Amino acid sequence: MHVPDEAPVLVRRDGRAAHLVLNRPRALNAINHAMVGLVDRALTEWEHDDTVETVVVSGAGERGLCAGGDIRAVHDDARDGDGTASTDFWRDEYHLNARIAHYPKPYVALMDGIVMGGGVGISAHGDIRIVTERSRVAMPETGIGFVPDVGGTHLLAQAPGELGTRLALTGEHIGAGDALLCGLADHYVPSDALPALLADLATLPARDAVARHARPAPEGVLAAQRPWTDACFAADSAEEIVARLLDHGDPAAKETAETLLGKSPTSVKVTLAAVRRARALGSLEDVLDQEYRVSCVALHNPDFVEGVRAQVIDKDRQPRWSPRTLAEVTDADVERHFAPLGERELGLGGRTS
């Protein structure tokens, strides 16, 4: 398929490898609906092309693979439209996330630099996920009044102990070592070795090429904090999690409580429920169905427009959440995010291949 150089996704071939390059560097390669379509169309073509043995996804520019979905466009749709453009985008994006997880050829994701939100969705469901010393991986949605999606609650629900719960609620950024620990990545390759890795992917089987360049990752911080993370984040409610963190005595636990308290109270409570339910659901497809329901409701919550305003548009970092506190968010407020959507359901659940 021919894609012009100014296209938001560049498509090229190099030997046995086919490349997808997210190409909106000024927007840190934020994913929009058109990009989802371009990626899906390329994957369809390559799936049936015997000369393509490996698919590689990377980001243009020097800052990272992808900062997430095009949140400004979703914000404008929520504020000024009826939300249909956003839910249509998510429908196709979540189908793409599931497709990546089951793609029949090696799917190599170069998670160099910033990889957040939708960037996790287009990379961390692949079967060969590469991080570098520059990687900063996060699902930061609670900070903008939203919820982790693109299969993020599925991935985080499988992290050891309560590390995934912590990352989902706080939106913390993690480096290579912690991404490997949490199951969001498979191999560490120094960033200066990426050109050589790409050259080898053109001539070698994907796993052989990666094995040439993989190195031990720098140590992260989460392993040492696992005891208090597990003890505090195993609580039954967000309020109890905060109380345990504040009472623990470790300064890092207190800092984590303060981080959590700065997020949207509604988003925190809904996210906690989503991660717990994701563990019980098991399959990525069932979790994506759940995330679609939650996202469709969260889109119309006042915290989403306000959170994007505060963090992305005005950048005053002073969101005015409504409700303001965790205690004011009721069980009914949380439960309505999980109600069936009727004919608007995503319909991925039950897929196994």
Side-chain angles (χ1 to χ4, degrees):
M1 62 186 288
H2 173 71
V3 177
D5 290 345
E6 68 275 11
V9 178
L10 302 180
V11 176
R12 63 180 177 86
R13 289 287 305 276
D14 186 8
R16 65 198 297 157
H19 292 260
L20 295 162
V21 182
L22 307 184
N23 188 40
R24 298 181 66 210
R26 293 176 62 185
L28 228 168
N29 301 321
I31 296 175
N32 57 30
H33 204 164
M35 295 167 75
V36 169
L38 287 168
V39 171
D40 189 67
R41 188 167 48 146
L43 291 180
T44 296
E45 180 176 315
W46 296 335
E47 183 172 347
H48 303 288
D49 184 343
D50 292 339
T51 67
V52 173
E53 299 183 38
T54 301
V55 173
V56 184
V57 61
S58 61
E62 300 297 322
R63 298 175 61 198
L65 172 66
C66 174
D70 189 347
I71 206 68
R72 284 178 177 264
V74 178
H75 165 275
D76 292 349
D77 185 35
R79 184 191 62 188
D80 304 325
D82 62 2
T84 300
S86 298
T87 56
D88 288 349
F89 164 44
W90 291 330
R91 177 177 293 276
D92 290 341
E93 184 182 25
Y94 298 179
H95 275 272
L96 177 61
N97 299 146
R99 181 176 196 179
I100 290 167
H102 297 287
Y103 200 64
K105 298 181 179 184
Y107 183 98
V108 180
L110 302 186
M111 301 171 68
D112 184 38
I114 294 174
V115 185
M116 298 184 189
V120 172
I122 206 167
S123 60
H125 298 299
D127 54 348
I128 304 177
R129 305 162 300 173
I130 309 296
V131 284
T132 76
E133 78 284 354
R134 293 162 21 98
S135 295
R136 303 302 297 167
V137 183
M139 295 298 295
E141 287 80 5
T142 58
I144 56 167
F146 199 57
V147 288
D149 65 338
V150 298
T153 60
H154 173 75
L155 294 165
L156 293 175
Q158 298 179 81
E162 297 294 335
L163 293 176
T165 307
R166 170 179 166 180
L167 296 177
L169 298 190
T170 64
E172 293 173 75
H173 301 181
I174 58 174
D178 288 328
L180 291 162
L181 171 65
C182 291
L184 298 174
D186 303 299
H187 304 280
Y188 172 80
V189 175
S191 60
D192 60 7
L194 292 180
L197 169 61
L198 290 173
D200 283 342
L201 286 167
T203 60
L204 297 173
R207 296 189 185 281
D208 292 346
V210 172
R212 280 191 172 190
H213 302 282
R215 300 290 183 268
E219 187 174 353
V221 300
L222 292 181
Q225 298 177 354
R226 173 86 185 271
W228 63 256
T229 296
D230 287 355
C232 296
F233 282 88
D236 291 334
S237 70
E239 292 95 327
E240 179 61 22
I241 289 172
V242 171
R244 291 186 186 185
L245 289 168
L246 292 174
D247 289 344
H248 186 272
D250 190 311
K254 182 177 180 181
E255 290 174 10
T256 300
E258 292 169 349
T259 296
L260 196 155
L261 287 170
K263 309 304 179 182
S264 158
T266 300
S267 295
V268 166
K269 284 200 166 182
V270 173
T271 297
L272 178 61
V275 172
R276 297 277 164 84
R277 296 182 189 210
R279 287 178 180 164
L281 287 170
S283 79
L284 170 61
E285 288 72 29
D286 285 335
V287 175
L288 285 165
D289 279 348
Q290 173 177 276
E291 290 179 349
Y292 187 70
R293 296 184 197 111
V294 172
S295 296
C296 287
V297 176
L299 177 67
H300 298 288
N301 288 343
D303 278 3
F304 175 65
V305 169
E306 172 60 12
V308 177
R309 179 207 64 77
Q311 304 294 348
V312 179
I313 297 175
D314 295 341
K315 298 183 179 179
D316 58 28
R317 309 291 192 263
Q318 297 293 325
R320 296 179 289 274
W321 304 126
S322 177
R324 295 181 303 107
T325 67
L326 291 169
E328 294 175 90
V329 181
T330 68
D331 291 344
D333 292 333
V334 173
E335 195 60 34
R336 69 184 180 87
H337 290 76
F338 297 90
L341 296 172
E343 293 182 356
R344 296 189 297 124
E345 288 286 335
L346 184 61
L348 274 171
R351 174 180 170 176
T352 58
S353 63

